[in-house]
Amino acid sequence: MKKIKILSCLTIALSLLYSCNKDSIELEPQTAISSDVIFTDPAFAETYLNKVYSGIPNGFNRGWYMLDAATDDAENSYPWPASNTIFNPSNITAGNSPFNGLWSNSYSQIRRLNNFIVNYDQLEGSEGLVNRLKAEAHFLRGFYYSYLLRTFGGVPIITEPQELDDDLLVSRNSEEETLNFIVEEFDTAISLFQNAESAASTRGGLASALAMKGRILLYQEKYAESASASKQVIDLGTHSLDPDYQNVFLDDNTPEVIFDVQFKDPDKGHYANLFNTPKSTREISGWGGTGPTQNLVDQYEMQATGLRPEEAGSGYDPASPYEGRDPRFYASILYDGAEWKGFTIEHRPGGGESIATSGDFTRTGYSLKKFIQEDRNHNLISTQHWIYIRLAEVYLNYAEALIESGNNLDLAVQAINTVRDRANMPPIALAGQDELRAKLRHERRIELVFEEHRFWDIRRWGIAGDPEVLTIYRVDMDANGDLIDDGKEVWETRTWNDRDYLFPIPQSEIDKNPNLKPNNPGYD
């Protein structure tokens, strides 16, 4: 595998506070720190890596808001985000793809990491601290490449700092080569983390390296290896499922989170509350944002029976459509009649948060509750964390890998039931591979909803173009809040092109480097 060096001219601007008295020495302001200091002093090295952590995209900072609005789980109430203008009508090109920024940002961060990794043997300090910093660098490089792989397929693997006189016109590596490199990076991180100091969930660690390894191997259909990595996370015992599902997304200190990004007042936050609080004629009014679909609502089982509403014997009563559902429904979705900020939500026609076809009011008759800080004014900056990976996902990754490999189906059932038990849902029974596959996919959809998994799941499962995924339903109710007929009507029929299973390499990158051709199928 060809290694290419990357030029890195780095300057870190730091604000240094000094304690001064009459004996203090006057110092010239220091706005630049030399690389000799960066790669020897652990404090500066950690600050250097902080810049790389800050570059990881999250669901709260996307220009088109929640990615789930480009799946059958949600519809964005604004007409202009990429979900409505690019993804759902399949208008993606190499010039306008919303993931073009992912390419440039990832390679920018990889360039920083390459410079760090070739110099990190100079680090001074305790073995535990030095090993942690080295491990974080490899974890982060594997993390960024894993995002590139799932988005674009095989990409150029660049591992060393480049010089300007090097050949910069690199070619793409294959998917298999890219995956192997990612696994090597996570394995290196895992080895170093085993003899390293522990750190907070906002930094890479042993569990996060194993968990991300298990995820990318699952995505690439390496099921036995994926199951092994996920099982190691579970066996570590360093994380546990939070007894309160809703708390997972609002509490920075939940024991379930393996890797996240956190936001603090007053200098670091986001606008998830403002963007996604229901549009209303009352004082709770936000901008509307992400509206869960009737497709998703119909997936929530009845708690007493573990059956979906349309299944015989489920216990569903269309006169009380929102009673007795999976508790995760009430933690994730605002529906007509739900209590919120001291108000009773009125998504019915003519209500305070009425369903609509224009403006920012919900298009579907539902609003987002998951993530949203109810006790915080919607027009203030939000501080809830974004979770990259948590233990419940690891259980489900483990179960899926076992099911797809056809081995230890009883262990897969146990893993799924561990997640369901936290939600106080009835256990599923051991069954054949096809039935368990359907059960697992349902559980992922409910447990991980709005966490940007469905977008990738429907692609790797090859179902993104299925009619039931492309036909979007909204609630159909009258002004009294009663369902009309079966309670749903078609809101939108989306367009799909099989080229959209992968996204195009940005046209600007191909213009600079023709060796990146051919682009992914359908984008030439």
Side-chain angles (χ1 to χ4, degrees), residues 173-432:
N173 290 82
S174 69
E175 284 196 33
E176 192 72 14
E177 289 171 333
T178 306
L179 174 64
N180 290 341
F181 175 72
I182 293 166
V183 171
E184 289 171 5
E185 285 297 280
F186 287 141
D187 282 343
T188 299
I190 289 163
S191 177
L192 288 164
F193 277 131
Q194 288 174 340
N195 296 291
E197 294 180 357
S198 60
S201 62
T202 54
R203 309 191 76 86
L206 179 57
S208 54
L210 285 165
M212 285 299 302
K213 177 182 174 181
R215 179 197 284 176
I216 195 61
L217 286 166
L218 178 69
Y219 276 34
Q220 296 301 119
E221 301 181 354
K222 306 293 185 181
Y223 297 122
E225 299 96 322
S226 173
S228 176
S230 293
K231 183 62 162 56
Q232 290 179 68
V233 179
I234 295 168
D235 289 345
L236 281 176
T238 53
H239 297 81
S240 59
L241 296 182
D242 193 317
D244 183 345
Y245 176 78
Q246 188 170 354
N247 186 65
V248 173
F249 313 101
L250 300 175
D251 181 2
D252 288 351
N253 298 312
T254 175
E256 186 167 333
V257 169
I258 296 173
F259 184 46
D260 66 348
V261 59
Q262 296 181 9
F263 303 88
K264 304 293 183 184
D265 284 331
D267 58 337
K268 187 178 181 184
H270 53 83
Y271 292 95
N273 279 19
L274 175 61
F275 293 154
N276 292 291
T277 294
K279 181 71 173 179
S280 178
T281 59
R282 301 181 282 188
E283 63 188 69
I284 60 171
S285 184
W287 286 9
T290 306
T293 61
Q294 189 66 45
N295 311 50
L296 173 63
V297 171
D298 288 344
Q299 292 295 308
Y300 282 92
E301 298 167 344
M302 304 302 294
Q303 185 177 19
T305 62
L307 298 174
R308 290 195 290 276
E310 76 276 9
E311 296 181 278
S314 69
Y316 171 74
D317 180 2
S320 302
Y322 307 123
E323 291 186 8
R325 307 295 280 271
D326 183 324
R328 291 170 290 189
F329 171 76
Y330 306 106
S332 303
I333 295 175
L334 291 174
Y335 54 92
D336 188 83
E339 297 300 317
W340 177 249
K341 291 183 177 290
F343 291 86
T344 300
I345 293 293
E346 298 174 347
H347 281 320
R348 65 192 64 182
E353 296 73 45
S354 176
I355 191 170
T357 57
S358 62
D360 292 343
F361 286 87
T362 174
R363 300 292 186 266
T364 63
Y366 300 99
S367 296
L368 186 69
K369 182 178 182 182
K370 190 172 182 176
F371 311 121
I372 308 304
Q373 296 167 306
E374 185 174 1
D375 60 352
R376 197 175 187 89
N377 194 307
H378 68 272
N379 60 9
L380 295 178
I381 199 166
S382 310
T383 59
Q384 62 271 50
H385 58 168
W386 178 263
I387 300 170
Y388 293 114
I389 195 159
R390 58 187 177 95
L391 187 60
E393 183 202 339
V394 174
Y395 274 112
L396 297 177
N397 290 348
Y398 176 56
E400 183 177 354
L402 293 176
I403 291 167
E404 295 301 334
S405 65
N407 297 320
N408 299 308
L409 296 183
D410 57 328
L411 296 179
V413 169
Q414 289 178 28
I416 295 171
N417 283 337
T418 297
V419 175
R420 289 176 65 83
D421 182 64
R422 185 265 295 280
N424 295 313
M425 289 298 293
I428 66 168
L430 183 63

Side-chain angles (χ1 to χ4, degrees), residues 60-112:
F60 295 146
N61 69 4
R62 296 194 182 280
W64 59 92
Y65 306 116
M66 307 300 290
L67 191 56
D68 284 70
T71 77
D72 51 345
D73 281 351
E75 173 77 10
N76 200 298
S77 63
Y78 324 134
W80 48 266
S83 57
N84 287 330
T85 61
I86 297 176
F87 286 126
N88 296 338
S90 188
N91 286 334
I92 304 166
T93 70
N96 74 2
S97 171
F99 289 112
N100 284 354
L102 175 69
W103 179 284
S104 58
N105 174 65
S106 294
Y107 277 108
S108 175
Q109 304 303 337
I110 289 167
R111 183 164 58 249
R112 291 188 174 98

